[in-house]
Amino acid sequence: MSEVIRIEKLTKTYGKKRGVTELDLHVNEKEIYGFIGPNGAGKSTTIRSILGFLNYDSGRIEVFGKDSIKEHTGILREIGYMPSEALFYPAMKVSEVIKFAADVRGLDCRKEADMLCERLKLDTGKRIKELSLGNRKKVSIVCAMQHKPRLFIFDEPSSGLDPLMQNTFFTLIKEYVDAGATCFLSTHVLSEVSRYCDRAAVMREGRLIKEDSVENLITSSAKNIKITMNGKSEEYIYNGDINKLIRELAEKKLDNLYIEEPSLEDMFMHFYDGEKA
Amino acid sequence: MTAVFKHELKLNLKSLLIWALSVGGMGFACILLYTSMEGEMAEMADTFSNMGAFSDAFGMSTLSIATLSGFFATEVGTVHGLGSAMFAAIMATVLLSKEEEAHTGEFLYSLPLSRGKTVLAKGLSLLAELVIFTAICGALYVLGFVMLKEDIPFKETGIFLIRMLLMNVEIASLALIISACSAKNRIGLGLGMALVFYAYDLIGRVVPDMKDYLFFGPFSIANASEIFSGKEMPVPALITTAVIITISLIAAYLSYIKKDLAS
């Protein structure tokens, strides 16, 4: 399976502030890759470096085997990007924004754009300033998808979309991925990752702390332990030798014990709270 | 690139028309006022031409405001000079920074066009706006002359408008540096810069010791009184203008293509 995005030792600082540090990751063709982390973890910095908005300090980014700096414009031709804020020119009509995006690409995307607008129930006659965040997101989706790119980059795509539209959006992604596209999406909605992504990376304080298939992230050796002792309950993720855990638990006088597979949410909290502690 | 050029023109069309019709309209009104003030002007012309440095500063020592050409040069020259400089400064100051301030840059710069080409397209659209602005104002001034049934000084008016356009390009080039370096719209700074240049030119013409340094200011190439009184072309000032425009555009371009875009 060929790599669509390859990031090696990416480091970006903003003066004295950290952006990302020594980040290595790769995204394979035809996969939906989740990029997880709380605000300030370095997700947007990574995305903005891929897109050439930022000049990174060191490292290398390749998209479709092309250097992200030297072949910046060629790379953007293959990308459909949806920013988290979805802001456009307020006085323009939706149809004008969509046409403008197609015109800059030098493409006639009317057929695909019409299909997308219909499925997303987007009124193209309205002006941008009249739209809610959700509807602006829809415009952003159309602009990102109408030229049928080989790579989608979405920065927190589902925020502002109602559950029905979220479903339509992810169905569209699935369809494009089935047709050969690749999707890289940053989010802090873990249910989206567990439901739609093939692989995921967890970012913390500018560093990649875990990268694996979503299946492996959830069904790793880590267990969610819930114990009740002396009327008090305690819950934690255990990621060590299971025999040692049993020995330790045997020494305690437990009222109750649950050992469960952790959810992605539990794993995420474990990466953040557990490892920090 | 053409799409960005057209897009930028379309976005600024309203502002362009408002400014052009306001400045051109004021000039047009000034021209029409001439007939009603002609008699009084004849009486005041002598007084105005004998006010020493102030007469020099406003060109009234070389041109009589009792004539339509003189009146046009002193009155419309000031209105157009200030108005067009403010327009050029405002439009150029926000040309690049508005994308970051309004967070539309994430959309624009994710489209497959290099940042350099985007800057070029935007710069060319600004140049087109300045040309259209000058053309609209020029048409209104000519209309004023026609309505007064006076001979139109085509040559002088043409030179005046072309030099004003060049001055506007210089101010816009300098304001573009502000736009390229800032993630916020600094309209006040751009506008202030244009007014400082106007004040510099005015003071330079009043204070004899400063006359030798006038050519540094953008307004020095477009003094209407000098143009309408047939003075020679200010070659050092024109060379300075060309150098400043070139350096400013290169500086703005380089700083913008290298900067991190604000999210």
Side-chain angles (χ1 to χ4, degrees):
Chain A
M1 196 178 282
S2 62
E3 287 178 351
V4 170
I5 300 175
R6 179 170 194 81
I7 298 176
E8 289 172 358
K9 304 275 176 229
L10 176 70
T11 297
K12 170 67 188 169
T13 51
Y14 302 96
K16 286 182 181 175
K17 285 185 184 170
R18 160 198 59 74
V20 289
T21 312
E22 302 263 305
L23 176 68
D24 290 304
L25 70 78
H26 67 280
V27 179
N28 296 321
E29 197 177 16
K30 294 184 186 177
E31 74 177 355
I32 303 179
Y33 189 97
F35 200 40
I36 317 167
N39 296 331
K43 305 189 301 292
S44 292
T45 298
T46 306
I47 287 176
R48 293 165 61 75
S49 297
I50 295 170
L51 293 165
F53 297 165
L54 304 177
N55 300 296
Y56 42 89
D57 305 335
S58 60
R60 184 176 169 80
I61 300 175
E62 281 183 2
V63 180
F64 297 114
K66 296 174 185 171
D67 186 278
S68 74
I69 298 169
K70 289 178 191 161
E71 296 178 72
H72 173 239
T73 313
I75 288 171
L76 290 180
R77 218 174 287 283
E78 309 279 1
I79 292 178
Y81 171 58
M82 180 180 172
S84 58
E85 287 189 303
L87 289 164
F88 301 97
Y89 306 95
M92 284 175 82
K93 283 184 179 174
V94 170
S95 57
E96 290 171 340
V97 172
I98 293 169
K99 186 178 181 303
F100 171 63
D103 286 348
V104 174
R105 293 183 181 281
L107 300 169
D108 181 357
C109 306
R110 278 176 291 182
K111 198 176 161 193
E112 195 72 4
D114 288 347
M115 180 277 289
L116 289 164
C117 289
E118 197 180 314
R119 288 181 64 177
L120 292 163
K121 296 181 175 62
L122 179 62
D123 182 353
T124 56
K126 283 195 170 177
R127 294 202 182 273
I128 295 295
K129 62 186 169 195
E130 297 167 352
L131 301 182
S132 63
L133 171 64
N135 281 319
R136 287 205 313 272
K137 283 269 181 182
K138 291 179 190 176
V139 180
S140 201
I141 294 169
V142 177
C143 290
M145 290 180 170
Q146 63 173 343
H147 58 289
K148 298 186 204 167
R150 289 165 67 199
L151 170 64
F152 292 105
I153 296 181
F154 297 122
D155 195 357
E156 294 172 20
S158 59
S159 61
L161 290 176
D162 63 54
L164 207 64
M165 276 304 138
Q166 284 183 22
N167 190 46
T168 308
F169 169 66
F170 282 106
T171 305
L172 282 167
I173 292 180
K174 281 275 184 196
E175 287 171 13
Y176 283 110
V177 170
D178 288 345
T182 304
C183 179
F184 179 82
L185 69 94
S186 105
T187 182
H188 40 229
V189 183
L190 299 172
S191 57
E192 284 174 0
V193 176
S194 57
R195 207 176 307 158
Y196 302 109
C197 294
D198 302 303
R199 288 198 307 134
V202 183
M203 292 286 288
R204 192 182 75 192
E205 292 172 2
R207 290 181 186 273
L208 183 92
I209 53 169
K210 189 83 179 172
E211 185 193 36
D212 210 333
S213 69
V214 172
E215 197 182 347
N216 284 347
L217 282 174
I218 298 169
T219 59
S220 64
S221 58
K223 302 291 173 202
N224 192 31
I225 313 294
K226 287 181 193 172
I227 57 172
T228 311
M229 199 166 55
N230 302 326
K232 286 182 183 170
S233 291
E234 193 184 335
E235 187 175 346
Y236 58 95
I237 297 275
Y238 182 81
N239 198 13
D241 181 359
I242 199 79
N243 296 303
K244 192 181 166 201
L245 171 72
I246 290 169
R247 279 197 299 275
E248 282 172 8
L249 291 173
E251 288 170 12
K252 295 175 181 171
K253 198 176 177 185
L254 301 176
D255 298 329
N256 216 337
L257 166 69
Y258 297 95
I259 300 178
E260 300 168 327
E261 288 295 335
S263 66
L264 192 60
E265 280 82 355
D266 293 330
M267 287 303 295
F268 183 79
M269 293 311 291
H270 167 64
F271 286 131
Y272 272 80
D273 297 334
E275 288 196 6
K276 243 179 173 175
Chain B
M1 212 171 96
T2 316
V4 175
F5 174 82
K6 284 184 193 166
H7 163 76
E8 193 66 31
L9 266 185
K10 202 173 168 187
L11 283 184
N12 294 331
L13 186 65
K14 208 169 158 185
S15 300
L16 168 64
L17 290 176
I18 290 170
W19 273 93
L21 293 173
S22 302
V23 175
M26 278 195 281
F28 175 72
C30 277
I31 296 168
L32 294 187
L33 279 175
Y34 172 73
T35 40
S36 63
M37 296 171 74
E38 199 176 358
E40 293 162 40
M41 283 297 168
E43 288 169 21
M44 288 192 288
D46 278 347
T47 318
F48 280 144
S49 63
N50 290 309
M51 287 166 62
F54 280 98
S55 301
D56 290 343
F58 292 97
M60 289 179 291
S61 57
T62 49
L63 273 174
S64 169
I65 58 165
T67 64
L68 181 56
S69 286
F71 185 76
F72 179 86
T74 49
E75 302 302 319
V76 181
T78 306
V79 168
H80 186 92
L82 260 176
S84 65
M86 285 162 72
F87 172 70
I90 289 173
M91 300 309 273
T93 306
V94 301
L95 188 73
L96 303 171
S97 58
K98 68 184 174 193
E99 303 291 352
E100 289 177 87
E101 174 150 311
H103 305 279
T104 47
E106 294 241 3
F107 166 64
L108 183 63
Y109 293 106
S110 69
L111 299 172
L113 197 65
S114 70
R115 228 188 276 186
K117 279 188 178 171
T118 307
V119 174
L120 185 62
K122 280 174 163 274
L124 288 174
S125 78
L126 177 61
L127 180 63
E129 285 161 26
L130 294 176
V131 170
I132 295 167
F133 174 93
T134 309
I136 292 173
C137 290
L140 286 166
Y141 304 152
V142 169
L143 182 67
F145 281 113
V146 170
M147 287 182 73
L148 292 187
K149 294 186 177 120
E150 292 274 350
D151 290 338
I152 304 165
F154 277 115
K155 189 185 163 197
E156 289 81 3
T157 310
I159 294 170
F160 163 72
L161 290 171
I162 289 168
R163 292 230 211 129
M164 279 287 176
L165 176 63
L166 195 59
M167 177 196 79
N168 293 333
V169 172
E170 184 180 356
I171 289 173
S173 307
L174 288 161
L176 205 57
I177 299 175
I178 300 171
S179 194
C181 296
S182 176
K184 288 194 181 297
N185 292 336
R186 309 278 183 202
I187 294 176
L189 196 58
L191 208 53
M193 183 185 73
L195 295 175
V196 165
F197 284 140
Y198 177 73
Y200 176 81
D201 191 72
L202 205 61
I203 294 165
R205 288 174 195 279
V206 173
V207 180
D209 290 348
M210 276 188 70
K211 277 205 169 67
D212 292 342
Y213 305 101
L214 261 181
F215 70 95
F216 278 122
F219 281 81
S220 63
I221 58 165
N223 188 280
S225 307
E226 287 179 359
I227 294 166
F228 278 83
S229 60
K231 272 200 177 176
E232 279 181 21
M233 193 181 283
V235 178
L238 284 169
I239 292 170
T240 310
T241 298
V243 171
I244 289 174
I245 290 172
T246 309
I247 292 172
S248 302
L249 290 178
I250 292 170
Y253 178 84
L254 290 178
S255 61
Y256 198 68
I257 59 167
K258 283 181 181 170
K259 80 186 278 199
D260 285 346
L261 291 176
S263 56

